[in-house]
Amino acid sequence: MSRYLTSRRLFLLLGSVIVLMVIAGLTLAQSGRRASFPERVVMDVENTVAGWIYRPVSKITGFFAGLSDMRSMYQENAQLKREMQKYQALRAELSDAEAENQRLATMLNFYNRTNNTLHEIPAAVVGREPSEWNSQLTINVGTADGVQPNMAVVAPDGSLVGRVDTVAAHSAKVILITDTQVGDGVAALVEAAKSQPFAVVTGSGASAGELALDFLGQIVQMPASELVGDEVITSGLSNVFPRGLVIGTITKVQYGAHNTVKSAIVQPAAQMDYLQDVFVVRQSGSGTP
């Protein structure tokens, strides 16, 4: 009997819930009025159950969406890195092309300026020992190209580099003007000085990469301001270096007795540390210098 009553109560409870849901469904279809108590109960239950389901599902959905976004971001980042590498490579190629164009333009300008007075043989620097950096270098032209010993060698802008020493068929050794061992000096003059004093330029033993200028005869009481900054050029008094090749610029004047100018320090005009191309030159119409 008690079991029957219990089952009956359960059926009554379920029936009541069903009736409440039917009533709520019918009444919710009507708009513009306040919900009744049964309706509010049903709505609260639905909202609670929906919240229990929505929050975990939302978090799971957000997690997988985040994974997808991270994957897309990684792919975009990898693509940007590849494009940046291509851009940097292209920029390096452009920089090299601009530098090459500048070197060729400088060489062409010197060639045009001296076309009627000098015969130029273009060459590339192919060897340079660190232990002899300021003494000599090797170029890729030789007797097969018309190169002979004691020809002058200049930078692309025409500034003096040195002279040819030993020559093979397709290469040659060049003694630099900054050499302090083999170099026998360059006959020079100070172009802008009023008296244009003659001098001999050799490699400086005191400072590597610089030149020492010794005047032929002392210059009496000449202010340093009249010499510092002046350009030193070849005098043309030797049969090796044609006249007018730029050697460098005076940076310091050294005085002897009675305030007389005795010597000076010269900074070479040629960029000795960055030589890639040079000209071997001789005066047009002349034979072996």
Side-chain angles (χ1 to χ4, degrees), residues 33 70 94 100 105-106 167 171 173 190 202 205 207 222 257 268 271:
R33 67 179 186 82
M70 289 180 63
L94 179 60
E100 179 69 15
T106 302
V167 188
S171 64
K173 290 284 186 181
V190 181
T202 57
S207 180
M222 176 177 284
Q271 299 294 318

Side-chain angles (χ1 to χ4, degrees), residues 135-158:
S135 300
Q136 60 180 299
L137 52 80
T138 304
I139 55 178
N140 66 343
V141 293
T143 54
D145 306 285
V147 176
Q148 298 294 330
N150 288 329
M151 281 186 171
V153 179
V154 299
D157 62 354

Side-chain angles (χ1 to χ4, degrees), residues 61-157:
T61 304
F63 173 75
F64 285 105
L67 289 179
S68 178
D69 292 341
M70 289 180 63
R71 182 179 180 183
S72 299
M73 186 180 299
Y74 175 79
Q75 292 174 345
E76 291 176 0
N77 188 39
Q79 179 65 25
L80 287 174
K81 285 183 177 179
R82 288 192 294 269
E83 292 179 358
M84 180 59 70
Q85 290 173 351
K86 291 180 181 179
Y87 169 75
Q88 291 176 345
L90 181 61
R91 185 175 180 180
E93 291 178 2
L94 179 60
S95 178
D96 291 341
E98 289 178 347
E100 179 69 15
N101 184 61
Q102 182 62 39
R103 287 198 302 271
L104 293 176
T106 302
M107 295 177 74
L108 180 61
N109 180 55
F110 173 70
Y111 178 82
N112 290 334
R113 285 190 291 112
T114 61
N115 191 32
N116 296 325
T117 58
L118 297 177
H119 174 69
E120 299 94 350
I121 302 172
V125 177
V126 294
R128 198 168 183 181
E129 293 293 334
S131 60
E132 299 176 336
W133 193 259
N134 293 307
S135 300
Q136 60 180 299
L137 52 80
T138 304
I139 55 178
N140 66 343
V141 293
T143 54
D145 306 285
V147 176
Q148 298 294 330
N150 288 329
M151 281 186 171
V153 179
V154 299
D157 62 354

Side-chain angles (χ1 to χ4, degrees), residues 172-187:
K173 290 284 186 181
V174 176
I175 299 296
L176 304 180
I177 57 175
T178 51
D179 174 63
T180 58
Q181 302 297 324
V182 182
D184 48 7
V186 180

